[in-house]
Amino acid sequence: MLIEKLNGKVVKSGNFCDTYNPVFFRICSEGRDKDDLMHLLETNTDIKVHDTITAQLKELVKTRKPSFRLSPAQIEEEIISHLNGINITEYGVWVYYPWKETLVHILDKNEFIELRTNRNKYKITDEEQETLGGKKVGIIGLSVGQSIALTFAMERICGELRLADFDTADLSNLNRLRTGVANIGIKKTVIAAREIMEMDPYLNIKLFDNGINEGNIVDFMCDGGKLDLLVEVCDGIDIKILSRYKARELGIPVIMDTNDRGMLDVERFDLEPSRPVLHGLAEGLDPNTIKGLSNEDKVPFILNLVGIDTISSRLKASMMEVEQSLSTWPQLASSVTLGGALTTDVSRRILLGLFHDSGRYYVDFDELIKNKPSETDGTDVKNYFGPDEMDWATLELIAAKYKPIGISSHIGADDLNTLLNAACLAPSGGNAQPWKFLYKNDRIFIIHDEHFSYSLLDFRNEGSYLGFGAMLENIAIAASAYNIPANVEVFPVKDDMRLIAVVSFGHVVLSHALNYLSPVIGSRVTNRNTGERKLLDKEDKLALESLAEFIPGAKLQLYEEISQLAEFANELTNAERIRILNPRGHFDTFIREIRFNRLQTEATSDGMDIETLNMSKSEKAGLQIASDPVAIEFLNKLQKGTGFKKISHKPIMTSSCIGVLSMDGNDAYHFLQGGRATEIVWLEANRRGISLQPVSAAIFLLSRYLHGNKSDFNHFEQSELNSINKNLNRLMDLPHGRYPVFIFRLFYADQPKERALRRPLKKVFFEDRF
Ligand SMILES: Cc1cc2nc3c(=O)[nH]c(=O)nc-3n(C[C@H](O)[C@H](O)[C@H](O)COP(=O)(O)O)c2cc1C
């Protein structure tokens, strides 16, 4: 590396140094410049000299007389007159670029600016150009910021640029950073500054190459004069907030480009001193509160700031792949280049006082430039909603098909309520509560309302029947515990399976050996918390296994080896992934099932309240991103989405064991019976302080895959389901003739803070006393 003392400064040459200031030699004037330049050239024979001063002068004289067609001789004359006796070699400035070891001969400042901005006219007038030349702009973050800085410099919409970034260029930055491979490892500030100095060495540049922090933000904004505009395009939310609070305090307008869908934010703190930062989207965040937030806690704020629903589907899909198949989210050169253009255009108008508003704007190419809608668009939109909700008349029609055996006695309101409450406390897939009750002719008719359960997972209503089985067990236990002489007939109308059961009332109370479980009916819960892995006691295991067999044909198998848990985790979570990636499964999950906030939860009192899902703030935010069907369709095409496996992976791995409840058949009746056995195991487990969470998507998905229409799944989904099926069968190792009807995990953990709601009785119970 060459180290020279030039113009009184120590100058290091070569790329691998932090120099970004060129050295100026004005050799026609008195001073040491000529000697220094001579010395530089004598001691460095490698220096490349680029002298185009004659061409520049030719252009200058021509642009000054645009209405003349000057002949070569006239141009020559004009130049001679312009030089006014000065030797052309000594005219203007010799600029030495140490990092390029190149010496360039250019016009001096005023003529240089005049000629370099000549083609801006009159999109930018001379007066405007001069005004802009006095402006100071700060740019924080030099990814899109580099494109902005270069465009600002090229258009010359400011006279001073302060550039802040702490990073160096990596090869993976070069997809959007306008620089060459020889600059890998060089600071991004230095790269940008050099590019700018090479196009216009007369601009003032100040670098903050440790980035911005509380210690230097005031210097950044004020040292050498207050900024006229702040361009904030960094990744860190702390700095986004800190810089805005400072900018607002100092009355500096802020502009931000987010290089997705051409999103641009303008905040006119110069005109609106009390404007909430980031249009109020950063509510709850200030430079002090942000300090206490973990990275995890910041994610929802960040997503709120960028607008979780408005980011592009491709970005959403990519975000879901971060730390799966991607190391970080994507940024494209085209977006970054657009960001440079947008920000420069709007900044120029702000700096010239031509644009005054604050707001968020989009220049979204996908929206602006797209195929005309074709006639077939919209015709294949699938409707995954099921049949309409049953009304009273339909319930009556179904009940009318029932042919009573014997008589039923009237039941008092208290007993009726006891049974109905126990019934409604049953678990149901997705908390769909696909039930309706009709009290008629002194009987309770329990009817399946498919409107609520119609879904990818509920193939042949198997999931629903499982839940109804649990309900019938609750009714039987409660009846015995409260001395209610109830008698249950299951599927009494063979050609209408919607009538799940009819409860009649006689005089004899059927004693249930497990009626001590009655108090647990109200506290039984799906726990999705994660605890420390602790094996079940032998006695607990034996009790659960033998209680399952209380229901004829039912059997419970427990798998507790960690290697078995790992294999179950892999297969069961893969089934959950396929459910989310499948268009209908996605619709079920996000449109029908999940309630994203209290308002939604309370509006229906069914579905999955996000607060019961034991998710961190960032996981909840992730779920919101995953609700975009276009993003998911894209991930499905890529056969990705492995991030969804994370949701249940840790919970399974920290469980005591996986339980598989199997039956000796797999028709509707067996699922109903399986539900009874499941409820007994669930109640007993909870009674013993053991938590239970179903992880059953695989069973119900596989049922559709194996016995239903293959076209419900694409090739990728089919191949994954095929492998899940093979691996689960090997893992469960059930004897021939046994069928899994429910899979769950058993574990020790804190009780859930929120409980799943139930629809009020008045919405599910109808009474016909006539
Ligand atoms: C057939 C069936 C399948 C279920 N599958 C799952 C599941 O895969 N994951 C899960 O967390 N809960 C599952 N559940 C539990 C329900 O979501 C839960 O019962 C419902 O939200 C009501 O909450 P509760 O059980 O706390 O009363 C399932 C329940 C049933 C009956």
Side-chain angles (χ1 to χ4, degrees):
M1 185 189 298
L2 171 77
I3 303 182
E4 289 283 345
K5 211 158 185 253
L6 296 169
N7 291 175
K9 280 193 256 166
V10 177
V11 173
K12 298 175 192 172
S13 296
N15 200 20
F16 284 94
C17 60
D18 286 346
T19 310
Y20 62 92
N21 278 313
V23 188
F24 292 82
F25 299 92
R26 289 185 170 82
I27 60 175
C28 75
S29 54
E30 296 293 309
R32 297 201 336 239
D33 280 15
K34 195 167 195 167
D35 295 345
D36 276 349
L37 184 59
M38 289 308 64
H39 172 75
L40 178 72
L41 289 168
E42 278 158 21
T43 49
N44 301 287
T45 47
D46 289 342
I47 288 182
K48 297 166 278 294
V49 177
H50 193 70
D51 185 357
T52 56
I53 195 76
T54 311
Q56 291 167 48
L57 280 167
K58 267 188 194 168
E59 242 202 318
L60 183 72
V61 296
K62 276 196 330 195
T63 53
R64 283 189 175 176
K65 294 206 162 148
S67 55
F68 292 92
R69 270 190 156 247
L70 295 177
S71 67
Q74 284 170 316
I75 292 173
E76 198 76 8
E77 266 173 42
E78 289 286 334
I79 291 177
I80 290 166
S81 134
H82 186 84
L83 287 171
N84 198 18
I86 301 173
N87 178 335
I88 195 160
T89 314
E90 296 187 352
Y91 191 79
V93 185
W94 287 89
V95 183
Y96 176 54
Y97 291 97
W99 57 91
K100 299 191 92 173
E101 292 178 340
T102 301
L103 186 67
V104 187
H105 193 185
I106 57 169
L107 295 172
D108 211 342
K109 187 171 179 180
N110 291 341
E111 290 175 355
F112 179 93
I113 294 174
E114 177 190 334
L115 188 54
R116 204 175 80 67
T117 59
N118 181 270
R119 292 293 300 274
N120 284 354
K121 281 191 253 191
Y122 294 116
K123 288 203 164 181
I124 303 173
T125 67
D126 288 342
E127 293 71 31
E128 286 172 337
Q129 197 77 60
E130 199 177 329
T131 308
L132 292 169
K135 300 294 182 186
K136 300 175 181 66
V137 175
I139 302 182
I140 307 178
L142 287 179
S143 225
V144 65
Q146 190 224 29
S147 168
I148 295 169
L150 298 190
T151 317
F152 271 36
M154 221 184 300
E155 200 163 299
R156 218 175 202 286
I157 66 157
C158 60
E160 179 176 319
L161 274 166
R162 298 178 200 158
L163 307 178
D165 201 306
F166 56 82
D167 214 1
T168 53
D170 295 323
L171 178 55
S172 65
N173 295 140
L174 264 53
N175 76 323
R176 61 194 186 280
L177 214 63
R178 214 201 75 97
T179 196
V181 282
N183 280 336
I184 294 171
I186 307 262
K187 288 175 182 158
K188 289 178 178 170
T189 45
V190 171
I191 293 172
R194 285 177 176 176
E195 285 274 354
I196 292 169
M197 287 293 101
E198 286 174 30
M199 66 172 94
D200 190 336
Y202 301 111
L203 283 165
N204 287 326
I205 297 214
K206 287 187 187 160
L207 300 192
F208 289 72
D209 47 21
N210 290 322
I212 290 299
N213 51 54
E214 278 178 77
N216 67 7
I217 188 143
V218 176
D219 276 358
F220 179 74
M221 292 192 181
C222 298
D223 192 25
K226 197 177 82 172
L227 290 180
D228 294 290
L229 176 71
L230 171 66
V231 180
E232 186 286 298
V233 277
C234 70
D235 286 342
I237 178 137
D238 310 43
I239 301 305
K240 283 188 184 300
I241 299 297
L242 175 71
S243 60
R244 278 175 175 74
Y245 270 78
K246 246 317 149 219
R248 188 170 64 176
E249 196 181 307
L250 294 165
I252 300 171
V254 177
I255 187 163
M256 168 173 86
D257 174 272
T258 312
N259 68 75
D260 180 60
R261 299 188 56 221
M263 185 174 113
L264 191 85
D265 287 272
V266 180
E267 297 168 83
R268 297 306 301 265
F269 298 128
D270 51 333
L271 305 177
E272 303 166 63
S274 52
R275 185 178 174 81
V277 303
L278 280 155
H279 325 298
L281 293 168
E283 193 142 359
L285 285 187
D286 64 41
N288 289 321
T289 53
I290 204 164
K291 278 186 206 146
L293 293 182
S294 63
N295 282 345
E296 171 87 12
D297 289 340
K298 286 176 194 166
V299 174
F301 282 107
I302 296 171
L303 292 174
N304 193 36
L305 294 189
V306 293
I308 203 160
D309 298 323
T310 47
I311 55 180
S312 69
S313 293
R314 287 261 173 135
L315 181 60
K316 284 184 198 161
S318 307
M319 282 168 133
M320 287 184 265
E321 283 301 303
V322 170
E323 291 181 6
Q324 298 298 316
S325 59
L326 299 177
S327 53
T328 184
W329 61 67
Q331 289 184 306
L332 290 183
S334 47
S335 315
V336 162
T337 310
L338 172 68
L342 282 179
T343 312
T344 305
D345 182 276
V346 177
S347 297
R348 173 175 25 81
R349 290 186 284 129
I350 290 173
L351 291 168
L352 290 174
L354 301 173
F355 174 62
H356 311 285
D357 285 353
S358 294
R360 173 165 283 182
Y361 307 89
Y362 293 92
V363 179
D364 182 359
F365 287 158
D366 283 347
E367 272 300 309
L368 295 170
I369 305 162
K370 60 183 176 191
N371 293 322
K372 290 181 196 66
S374 77
E375 282 180 7
T376 54
D377 280 357
T379 51
D380 68 340
V381 174
K382 297 213 173 63
N383 182 3
Y384 298 123
F385 284 110
D388 288 344
E389 184 175 355
M390 277 181 187
D391 53 15
W392 179 328
T394 314
L395 299 179
E396 292 269 6
L397 281 177
I398 295 170
K401 296 184 183 176
Y402 172 71
K403 302 277 171 288
I405 322 165
I407 51 157
S408 182
S409 313
H410 181 69
I411 180 183
D414 286 352
D415 286 349
L416 186 61
N417 265 335
T418 302
L419 294 188
L420 288 175
N421 280 328
C424 292
L425 285 166
S428 58
N431 196 26
Q433 306 167 46
W435 47 67
K436 287 269 160 65
F437 305 95
L438 178 69
Y439 187 75
K440 186 182 167 76
N441 300 335
D442 300 329
R443 290 180 168 87
I444 305 173
F445 293 83
I446 301 175
I447 294 168
H448 179 196
D449 188 345
E450 259 195 80
H451 169 74
F452 295 98
S453 56
Y454 182 82
S455 61
L456 181 76
L457 287 191
D458 206 23
F459 179 64
R460 297 194 299 212
N461 303 319
E462 288 167 354
S464 292
Y465 294 152
L466 196 116
F468 276 112
M471 170 188 283
L472 297 183
E473 200 54 28
N474 276 1
I475 292 175
I477 291 173
S480 168
Y482 290 90
N483 287 316
I484 304 170
N487 181 42
V488 180
E489 276 174 85
V490 169
F491 293 130
V493 176
K494 292 299 157 231
D495 66 351
D496 197 340
M497 303 281 274
R498 292 176 297 176
L499 184 57
I500 301 288
V502 177
V503 186
S504 312
F505 301 95
H507 300 288
V508 184
V509 175
L510 295 178
S511 156
H512 193 307
L514 307 178
N515 62 12
Y516 64 87
L517 290 174
S518 170
V520 195
I521 290 175
S523 58
R524 181 211 54 81
V525 68
T526 300
N527 189 348
R528 299 183 180 89
N529 286 341
T530 305
E532 292 285 311
R533 175 163 149 85
K534 183 174 153 231
L535 294 179
L536 298 190
D537 288 344
K538 205 169 169 199
E539 191 210 330
D540 287 334
K541 282 194 293 186
L542 282 174
L544 296 178
E545 283 162 349
S546 67
L547 278 190
E549 290 174 28
F550 187 86
I551 300 296
K555 197 163 174 51
L556 174 65
Q557 241 115 350
L558 301 175
Y559 304 80
E560 63 179 12
E561 299 293 326
I562 193 77
S563 58
Q564 292 173 315
L565 291 197
E567 289 194 76
F568 269 110
N570 201 26
E571 304 309 324
L572 299 177
T573 60
N574 202 21
E576 292 182 349
R577 165 190 174 223
I578 295 303
R579 184 199 179 197
I580 292 182
L581 291 180
N582 175 279
R584 183 170 176 194
H586 184 267
F587 179 90
D588 294 342
T589 311
F590 291 97
I591 306 290
R592 296 178 60 110
E593 213 168 280
I594 297 183
R595 308 284 179 259
F596 281 100
N597 52 51
R598 266 266 142 236
L599 220 67
Q600 289 182 356
T601 308
E602 282 166 6
T604 59
S605 303
D606 62 12
M608 306 294 289
D609 174 358
I610 197 163
E611 295 308 323
T612 66
L613 298 183
N614 181 36
M615 289 189 152
S616 64
K617 284 181 185 163
S618 68
E619 283 169 337
K620 282 182 201 162
L623 211 58
Q624 229 165 319
I625 296 178
S627 64
D628 179 347
V630 180
I632 295 295
E633 188 188 349
F634 183 61
L635 281 190
N636 190 323
K637 259 192 212 139
L638 297 179
Q639 309 191 353
K640 302 284 185 203
T642 46
F644 299 123
K645 294 178 75 175
K646 280 206 302 199
I647 301 171
S648 295
H649 190 268
K650 186 168 173 210
I652 294 176
M653 290 309 290
T654 51
S655 297
S656 315
C657 59
I658 285 288
V660 174
L661 204 132
S662 63
M663 294 297 299
D664 51 1
N666 65 349
D667 61 11
Y669 181 73
H670 285 95
F671 272 92
L672 208 66
Q673 290 295 85
R676 302 187 93 126
T678 297
E679 185 69 352
I680 290 172
V681 171
W682 204 330
L683 293 171
E684 179 65 15
N686 283 184
R687 191 180 76 85
R688 288 172 179 257
I690 302 165
S691 291
L692 185 150
Q693 181 193 2
V695 270
S696 259
I699 299 234
F700 301 111
L701 264 187
L702 285 175
S703 189
R704 184 179 287 278
Y705 168 63
L706 296 170
H707 311 297
N709 195 341
K710 288 274 181 295
S711 67
D712 285 339
F713 303 100
N714 67 23
H715 285 307
F716 153 64
E717 293 161 359
Q718 287 183 25
S719 116
E720 293 293 302
L721 289 169
N722 200 30
S723 125
I724 296 169
N725 183 43
K726 251 185 17 217
N727 293 336
L728 270 186
N729 279 337
R730 177 180 47 76
L731 261 171
M732 293 187 294
D733 195 21
L734 298 179
H736 183 70
R738 296 210 65 77
Y739 302 88
V741 294
F742 211 52
I743 304 186
F744 46 87
R745 64 183 189 101
L746 293 166
F747 56 103
Y748 294 97
D750 295 340
Q751 286 302 293
K753 289 197 188 77
E754 300 284 341
R755 307 291 294 261
L757 298 183
R758 293 295 187 274
R759 250 177 259 128
L761 264 190
K762 64 174 189 294
K763 293 224 166 152
V764 294
F765 172 62
F766 302 84
E767 202 168 353
D768 183 352
R769 291 200 171 268
F770 306 103

